Amino acid sequence: MSSLVCRRRHSVLSGRAGRCATRYALAVLLALAGVLVPVGAATSATDPVFIRIGSQPVGIAVTPDGHHVYVAESASFRVSVIDTLSHKVVGRVRVSGSPVGVAVAPDGHRAYVTDSRGDVVSVVDTTTNEVVGRIPVGSQPVGVAVTPDGRRAYVTNAGSDDVSVIDTTTAKAVGIPLAVGNGPAGVAVTPDGRRAYVTNSTGWPVPVSVIDTGTHHVVGLHVSVGDFPAGVAVTPDGHHVYVTDQLGTVSVIDTKTDKVVGGPIPVGAKPSDVAVRPDGRRAYVTNFASNSVSVIDTSSGKVIGTPIAVGGSATRIAELPTAITPTSPSTVAAPWR
């Protein structure tokens, strides 16, 4: 798949980033820049730091110990590894094709990177930062999420409208890919590992699909949210799922009923991704078209304060574990270039 096709099908992966500035202390990524928001910041970031990496970063994942961040650079055909303490790139992993999504296993030993052109998932040894395997999946893989026990990885295939299930022990896809909606993009697994939530980026007629990971079937009625959903994140307690859509809102799904609770939460223009803080009290949303991050109070379901300016076209965001240090930044937002 060419980059042009990818941008047309998935607006969340398209656009231009603004200028990259280098400041002092936080950290990380997407195309030439990235931003970290301090964990205590409810409404604003204190002097975000931009770290130069490769071209068109579109995926981001943090290791369980919080020491490193893996960034998939679609146009550089590689993954950059950033040290969260020094805020420097400490490794670069050459992968095949065009890397898009990245997820790190719970034990921190492997990183899984989707290749939207080669229709494979590259397996990276995080100790050596070398590719140790490539797993064939469906057409145009985008998102990837690993189950909490580390035994399975779920991969959204935007070109074939399905989800591949990888056995991480054998490093092979198992069973028949699960048919979901049109253009599946984001995927998140609940903390108990029983459900996987998939956003279907074309948004109609199936915005969000729910997978029973025990039976490997799509279960129940599909969940209706706003048009063209993209980002998806599950709260640490597993009770709610946050989903962004291109209407400029975030929907909240109750995992007990798989229904949306409350009204859509207005955020910035074209929100593309969402991450929930480890304590579950805040959700951070990257607003692609307004170059900012909105902060949601999860108890009230309302945006608090003024959106945090993060430079050009923020797309992806990830949370660092709170156990790093009291002064460590905790949220990584990645603008597209």
Side-chain angles (χ1 to χ4, degrees):
M1 176 189 69
S2 70
S3 297
L4 181 59
V5 172
C6 180
R7 294 192 190 104
R8 285 177 175 171
R9 286 202 65 171
H10 311 288
S11 59
V12 69
L13 298 181
S14 66
R16 283 181 170 172
R19 291 170 52 190
C20 170
T22 300
R23 292 213 173 154
Y24 35 104
L26 305 188
V28 248
L29 50 70
L30 254 195
L32 272 190
V35 180
L36 271 168
V37 180
V39 67
T43 60
S44 64
T46 56
D47 298 312
V49 170
F50 294 83
I51 300 173
R52 289 185 180 275
I53 54 173
S55 181
Q56 294 185 356
V58 290
I60 177 175
V62 182
T63 55
D65 61 11
H67 292 166
H68 295 95
V69 175
Y70 282 73
V71 185
E73 302 167 8
S74 182
S76 295
F77 317 117
R78 69 187 185 194
V79 175
S80 283
V81 185
I82 296 170
D83 185 303
T84 58
L85 296 180
S86 67
H87 310 142
K88 294 181 180 180
V89 174
V90 294
R92 290 186 172 90
V93 186
R94 191 75 177 180
V95 295
S96 61
S98 180
V100 176
V102 58
V104 179
D107 63 9
H109 295 162
R110 295 285 188 270
Y112 297 87
V113 183
T114 59
D115 172 6
S116 64
R117 289 184 181 178
D119 298 342
V120 299
V121 171
S122 295
V123 184
V124 177
D125 184 323
T126 56
T127 301
T128 61
N129 282 330
E130 295 180 352
V131 174
V132 294
R134 290 184 174 86
I135 306 169
V137 289
S139 175
Q140 300 174 12
V142 177
V144 56
V146 182
T147 56
D149 62 11
R151 296 181 179 180
R152 295 284 187 271
Y154 287 80
V155 180
T156 56
N157 303 308
S160 49
D161 298 332
D162 55 28
V163 173
S164 293
V165 183
I166 292 173
D167 183 323
T168 58
T169 302
T170 62
K172 294 181 179 179
V174 295
I176 300 172
L178 308 175
V180 287
N182 298 326
V187 57
V189 180
T190 55
D192 62 11
R194 295 182 179 180
R195 291 285 190 273
Y197 288 80
V198 176
T199 56
N200 301 296
S201 64
T202 58
W204 182 263
V206 182
V208 178
S209 298
V210 185
I211 296 173
D212 184 320
T213 60
T215 63
H216 296 296
H217 286 90
V218 176
V219 297
L221 297 174
H222 299 288
V223 185
S224 295
V225 292
D227 290 346
F228 310 108
V232 56
V234 184
T235 55
D237 60 12
H239 294 167
H240 296 97
V241 177
Y242 284 72
V243 179
T244 66
D245 65 67
Q246 297 299 286
L247 296 179
T249 63
V250 173
S251 296
V252 183
I253 299 171
D254 185 322
T255 56
K256 290 184 179 180
T257 62
D258 283 336
K259 293 183 179 179
V260 173
V261 293
I265 304 170
V267 287
K270 294 187 178 180
S272 60
D273 200 13
V274 57
V276 181
R277 210 164 69 178
D279 62 10
R281 297 174 60 187
R282 299 285 186 269
Y284 295 91
V285 180
T286 52
N287 302 308
F288 177 83
S290 52
N291 307 328
S292 64
V293 173
S294 293
V295 183
I296 296 174
D297 182 326
T298 57
S299 61
S300 67
K302 296 181 179 179
V303 171
I304 56 178
T306 303
I308 302 165
V310 292
S313 306
T315 56
R316 295 288 180 258
I317 192 164
E319 278 285 338
L320 293 180
T322 55
I324 306 290
T325 67
T327 57
S328 292
S330 103
T331 305
V332 181
W336 170 280
R337 180 180 187 275

